[in-house]
């Protein structure tokens, strides 16, 4: 469609006496200029300015206009409500300026209200004497500067004078009800909605997808008439939506397209042509009256609140203000599974949960599945760690298989921890913990919120098959499944503490790049290592490592001791990134650690292919004369945190 005419109909002729805000005067030589031409010129530029403010800036206070309430001089029974000088924009886009401070006596206003409508004060205080009054402002016009007109027969002095100026003015008033400001409320709702969106590398199924986000944006138009009451339900909104980083630009564009084309046109007042019946006033503040006497002659205390007052920020400030810092929402490891050694009398699995000072309670059996797809219910027993009086409230749980379970050496096992069966800090489930802190766990199930953990089984000396008569169908199915040949995991490094003080920790790192050889044929050339305090997730400052001159695969490293009042015993996480970690002797030149592992040389315990790093845990006892740390898991209750928990895993740390 191509047209130069308005779709609503042809332009209105000036001969009708009605002016059109979309017309400007087309001046030409010889044209007779009358009153309509001058009024049209003013109207065109005036409406352009108003529309510009409505569409691109919004409304509210831009400077000053602070509301105060102070006891009236000479009496404690009345208050003076004041508004400082300042400037703002009302909902129709009209700028108003209050050049001098304004004030009124609250008791005078209440008395006038009661005289005009008896019982109105009691009606708005519900008989309690407490009341809420709103201070609002808007633009106004005032005719000014009267000038005489040419005399007419029988005309009076009033008929022969007219205002030669229209002065921009303002109106400040008290009201029992606040002005409806759906655009301001909707802007805030959209801001809080977008703040709850996390941009991640790989979204998890536990969070709503982009279609749910688009629906939530559209729904903002439906809740606009509700006022601001539900805007600040959450002081820190949880992560409610996840979008993939590679799709973020497209999704963001779609969100804003929905906002400008579908939501904003449904809000009032209309941005192109506000209805004359709409309220242009904006809120400056509210007055919470604690109590009133029946005759409204005494005011018992008053507080001023301006939390819902709209503001218009200058663009220079906006370009200087950085966006709120977003906490990296990298997934963290919930639990590490440690199988019993091959020398143990029976096979068990220790489940070590990594939630800093928050202990975990398991409420029922854990389902463990073999690589053949057979599932067994493992019973759970609390294992005090550090030693505590309450073993059901700990960070380490022992998983014990049912009778007759016989793992094959090197067999891969997965454990499923259901959301409702894992209680964190005495009350949070996995799902409620995620919603409270915006946490993402590694290996989360696509639905239901369960978290998986994996380990490799060792065969134990006394774990035998049951008699044929006692074998369960599940065990028979397991026995009938051919064993999958896989390399036995081997230790990558032996960590030995060589010295501990309250300020520094010394370690010897004995690397085993070829653990099945009879001698050191493969040597570490450039080791890479990072050390983290497992209790807090904080990295420790590391010096070294330096190579031992006598043993090429032995390196020495120094780390700063963990901080805190009682840092010992220290629970440390050593992360050995494959990037930059090279070996010699495995072939001509140097060989990268990742290439050595992928070549099938050996499978190291703690190797994480996704993160391309090897993780090893080490405990450092307290040095002589240092008090060990108090066990946090012995507490019956856990204090509420004020910030999201730190990532304690080596995963998610930049390599």
């Amino acid at each position: 469609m191509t047209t130069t005419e308005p779709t609503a109909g042809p332009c209105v002729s000036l001969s009708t006496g009605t002016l059109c805000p979309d017309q400007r005067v087309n001046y030409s030589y010889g044209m007779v200029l009358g009153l309509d031409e001058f009024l049209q010129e003013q109207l065109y530029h005036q409406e352009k300015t108003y529309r510009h403010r409505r569409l691109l800036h919004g409304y509210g206070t831009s400077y000053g206009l602070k509301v105060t309430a102070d006891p009236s001089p000479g009496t404690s029974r009345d208050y003076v409500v004041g508004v400082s000088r300042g400037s703002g924009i009302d909902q129709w886009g009209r700028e108003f300026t209050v050049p001098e401070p304004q004030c009124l006596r609250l008791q005078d206003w209440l008395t006038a209200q009661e005289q005009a409508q008896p019982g109105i004060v009691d009606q708005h205080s519900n008989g309690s004497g407490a009341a809420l009054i709103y201070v609002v402002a808007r633009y106004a016009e005032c005719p000014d500067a009267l000038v005489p007109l040419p005399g007419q027969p029988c005309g009076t002095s009033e008929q022969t004078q007219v205002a030669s100026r229209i002065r921009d003015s303002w109106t400040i008033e008290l009201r029992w009800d606040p002005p409806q400001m759906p655009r301001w409320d909707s802007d805030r709702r959209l801001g809080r909605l977008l703040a709850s969106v996390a941009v991640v590398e790989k979204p998890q199924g536990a969070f709503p997808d982009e279609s749910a986000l688009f629906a939530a944006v559209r729904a903002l138009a439906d809740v606009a008439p509700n006022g601001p009451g539900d805007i600040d339900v959450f002081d820190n909104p949880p992560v409610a939506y996840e979008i993939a980083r590679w799709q973020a630009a497209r999704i963001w564009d779609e969100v804003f397209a929905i906002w400008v084309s579908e939501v904003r046109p449904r809000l009032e007042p209309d941005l192109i042509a506000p209805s004359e019946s709409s309220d242009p006033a904006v809120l400056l503040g509210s007055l919470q009256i604690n109590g009133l006497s029946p005759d409204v002659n005494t005011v018992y205390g008053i507080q001023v609140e301006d939390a819902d007052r709209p503001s218009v920020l200058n663009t220079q400030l906006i370009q200087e203000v950085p966006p709120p810092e977003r906490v990296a929402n990298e997934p963290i490891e919930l639990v590490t599974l440690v199988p019993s050694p091959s020398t143990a009398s029976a096979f068990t699995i220790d489940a070590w949960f990594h939630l800093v000072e928050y202990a975990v309670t398991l409420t029922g059996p854990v389902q463990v599945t073999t690589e053949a797809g057979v599932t067994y219910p493992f019973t759970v027993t609390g294992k005090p760690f550090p030693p505590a009086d309450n073993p059901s409230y700990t960070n380490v749980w022992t998983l014990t298989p049912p009778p007759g379970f016989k793992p094959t050496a090197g067999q891969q096992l997965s454990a499923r921890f259901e959301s409702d069966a894992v209680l964190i800090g005495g009350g949070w489930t996995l799902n409620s913990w995620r919603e409270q802190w915006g946490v993402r766990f590694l290996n989360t199930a696509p639905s239901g919120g369960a978290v998986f953990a994996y380990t490799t089984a060792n065969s134990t000396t006394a774990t035998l098959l049951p008699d044929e008569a006692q074998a369960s169908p599940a065990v028979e199915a397991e026995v009938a499944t051919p064993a999958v040949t896989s390399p036995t995991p081997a230790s990558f490094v032996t960590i030995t503490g060589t010295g501990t003080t309250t300020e520094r920790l010394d370690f010897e790192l004995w690397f085993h790049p070829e653990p099945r050889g009879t001698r050191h044929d493969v040597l570490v050339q450039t080791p890479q290592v990072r050390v983290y305090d497992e209790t807090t997730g904080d990295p420790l400052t590391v010096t070294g490592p330096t190579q031992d001159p006598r043993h090429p695969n032995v390196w020495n490293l120094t780390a700063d001791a963990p901080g805190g009042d009682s840092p010992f015993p220290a629970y440390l996480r050593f992360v050995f990134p494959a990037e930059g970690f090279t070996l010699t002797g495995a072939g001509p030149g140097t060989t990268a650690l990742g290439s050595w592992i992928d070549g099938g040389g050996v499978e190291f315990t703690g190797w994480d292919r996704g993160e391309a790093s090897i993780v090893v845990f080490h405990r450092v006892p307290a040095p002589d004369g240092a008090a060990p740390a108090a066990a946090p898991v012995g507490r019956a209750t856990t204090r509420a945190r004020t910030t999201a928990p730190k990532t304690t895993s080596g995963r998610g740390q930049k390599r």
Side-chain angles (χ1 to χ4, degrees):
M1 179 178 68
T2 302
T3 180
T4 58
E5 295 292 330
T7 57
C11 292
V12 179
S13 171
L14 292 180
S15 63
T16 65
T18 302
L19 302 179
C20 177
D22 295 327
Q23 292 181 344
R24 66 182 186 273
V25 179
N26 184 24
Y27 296 102
S28 61
Y29 286 106
M31 179 179 179
V32 177
L33 300 179
L35 176 62
D36 282 347
E37 282 72 30
F38 292 110
L39 293 178
Q40 182 68 63
E41 182 76 5
Q42 285 190 349
L43 178 64
Y44 176 79
H45 292 288
Q46 187 180 58
E47 290 301 319
K48 278 283 188 182
T49 301
Y50 293 165
R51 190 179 303 167
H52 174 86
R53 295 187 188 125
R54 292 195 299 265
L55 289 170
L56 300 181
H57 296 293
Y59 53 79
T61 301
S62 57
Y63 172 82
L65 302 179
K66 181 178 177 61
V67 178
T68 58
D70 300 311
S72 179
T75 177
S76 59
R77 303 170 58 188
D78 191 12
Y79 282 81
V80 174
V81 178
V83 176
S84 67
R85 60 191 294 268
S87 184
I89 300 173
D90 70 12
Q91 295 192 60
W92 290 1
R94 304 174 301 180
E95 179 185 4
F96 61 92
T97 298
V98 181
E100 299 294 337
Q102 305 298 312
C103 65
L104 63 80
R105 292 182 180 273
L106 181 59
Q107 192 179 102
D108 292 344
W109 182 83
L110 292 170
T111 301
Q113 290 286 304
E114 190 68 20
Q115 290 175 348
Q117 187 176 344
I120 190 173
V121 175
D122 189 64
Q123 173 186 341
H124 285 87
S125 64
N126 296 321
S128 66
L132 192 60
I133 300 173
Y134 300 90
V135 184
V136 304
R138 61 178 175 84
Y139 170 85
E141 293 180 347
C142 179
D144 201 359
L146 294 177
V147 295
L149 293 177
Q152 300 179 9
C154 302
T156 66
S157 59
E158 289 81 7
Q159 294 173 333
T160 57
Q161 295 189 55
V162 66
S164 65
R165 303 290 187 269
I166 297 178
R167 177 163 49 89
D168 287 340
S169 188
W170 43 267
T171 294
I172 297 176
E173 58 182 338
L174 302 186
R175 294 184 182 178
W176 291 110
D177 299 304
Q180 297 298 310
M181 299 183 296
R183 293 194 177 278
W184 166 245
D185 298 335
S186 299
D187 285 346
R188 288 189 288 172
R189 285 191 179 95
L190 178 64
R192 284 153 176 76
L193 176 62
L194 298 185
S196 70
V197 178
V199 179
V200 298
E201 295 298 336
K202 184 178 180 182
Q204 296 188 13
F207 294 91
D209 58 12
E210 62 183 77
S211 61
L213 174 61
F214 298 156
V217 175
R218 290 186 173 95
L220 294 179
D222 299 323
V223 298
N226 295 350
D230 61 347
I231 291 179
D232 295 310
V233 175
F234 297 103
D235 292 333
N236 295 302
V239 175
Y241 304 90
E242 285 189 349
I243 59 177
R245 190 179 303 278
W246 65 276
Q247 292 183 315
R250 176 189 63 81
I251 293 175
W252 232 236
D253 287 344
E254 181 68 17
V255 165
F256 293 138
I258 294 171
W259 174 252
V260 301
S261 63
E262 300 180 38
V263 179
R264 293 190 86 192
R266 294 177 56 189
L267 305 179
E268 293 292 339
D270 185 77
L271 293 177
I272 294 179
S275 169
E276 290 291 336
S277 62
S278 63
D279 187 358
V282 295
L283 181 68
L284 300 184
S286 58
L287 307 175
Q288 177 65 60
I289 299 176
N290 298 337
L292 290 170
S293 62
D295 58 2
V296 302
N297 287 329
T298 302
V299 179
Y300 301 108
I302 189 172
Q303 287 85 38
V304 177
E305 177 61 57
D306 58 3
D308 295 323
R309 152 194 185 133
S311 302
V312 181
L313 300 180
N314 58 296
T315 54
Q316 187 174 35
L317 170 62
I318 295 174
Q319 72 186 19
E320 295 296 333
V321 175
E325 183 179 355
R326 291 293 300 274
V327 178
N329 192 38
E330 298 295 336
I332 67 173
E333 184 179 16
L334 171 67
V335 59
T336 297
L337 299 184
V338 182
S340 56
S342 58
T343 57
S345 60
F347 178 77
T348 59
I349 301 174
D350 277 352
W352 178 11
F353 290 87
H354 311 298
L355 292 171
V356 196
E357 76 238 36
Y358 289 90
V360 168
T361 299
L362 298 183
T363 61
V366 173
Q367 301 299 318
V368 177
T369 303
T370 68
E371 60 190 30
V374 182
T375 299
Y376 298 87
F378 277 50
T379 58
V380 296
T381 306
K383 185 177 182 180
F385 175 77
D389 297 332
N390 186 1
S392 66
Y393 192 74
T394 178
N395 282 331
V396 178
W397 288 77
T398 299
L399 313 183
T400 304
F405 176 81
K406 178 179 173 60
T408 304
Q411 190 177 40
Q412 305 299 314
L413 304 175
S414 67
R416 180 184 177 105
F417 296 90
E418 301 292 346
S419 172
D420 295 339
V422 180
L423 300 182
I424 304 172
W428 281 298
T429 64
L430 293 181
N431 283 340
S432 62
W433 180 265
R434 273 188 288 248
E435 294 172 359
Q436 177 71 18
W437 301 115
V439 174
R440 303 173 65 238
F441 292 122
L442 290 169
N443 305 318
T444 301
S447 60
V451 175
F452 291 95
Y454 305 91
T455 190
T456 302
N458 299 317
S459 62
T460 56
T461 57
T463 304
L464 303 175
L465 283 173
D467 295 335
E468 184 175 352
Q470 300 175 346
S472 65
V475 174
E476 290 177 354
E478 179 68 13
V479 174
T481 303
V484 178
T485 303
S486 61
T488 302
S491 174
F492 174 68
V493 62
T494 299
I495 302 175
T496 304
T498 58
T500 302
T501 69
T502 57
E503 297 181 353
R504 57 178 282 174
L505 311 175
D506 295 327
F507 301 99
E508 179 189 83
L509 308 180
W510 175 16
F511 293 100
H512 318 298
E514 194 177 30
R516 296 179 181 85
T518 57
R519 54 172 295 172
H520 289 302
D521 294 325
V522 179
L523 306 178
V524 172
Q525 184 180 39
T526 56
Q528 305 294 324
V529 59
R530 298 193 297 268
V531 184
Y532 298 89
D533 180 1
E534 179 70 6
T535 305
T536 63
D538 296 330
L540 303 182
T541 302
V542 173
T543 303
T546 58
Q547 191 175 36
D548 189 306
R550 298 167 299 172
H551 305 287
N553 275 335
V554 176
W555 296 71
N556 296 305
L557 177 143
T558 298
D560 290 346
D565 297 331
S566 301
F568 294 97
Y571 297 91
L572 306 182
R573 177 189 296 263
F574 287 73
V575 179
F576 300 91
E579 183 177 351
F581 201 121
T582 60
L583 310 170
T584 60
T590 60
T591 301
L593 176 59
S595 300
W596 172 246
I597 295 174
D598 291 337
V602 67
E603 178 179 329
F604 293 115
T605 301
W607 167 247
D608 186 325
R609 187 171 301 277
E611 294 292 331
S613 61
I614 298 173
V615 179
V616 180
F617 298 93
H618 184 76
R619 179 181 183 275
V620 180
D624 294 338
V633 296
R635 295 176 291 186
T637 58
T638 304
R639 62 178 177 85
R641 295 172 63 108
T642 56
T643 57
K646 295 182 179 179
T647 298
T648 59
S649 169
R651 304 171 185 264
Q653 304 288 350
K654 293 184 178 179
R655 296 191 293 272

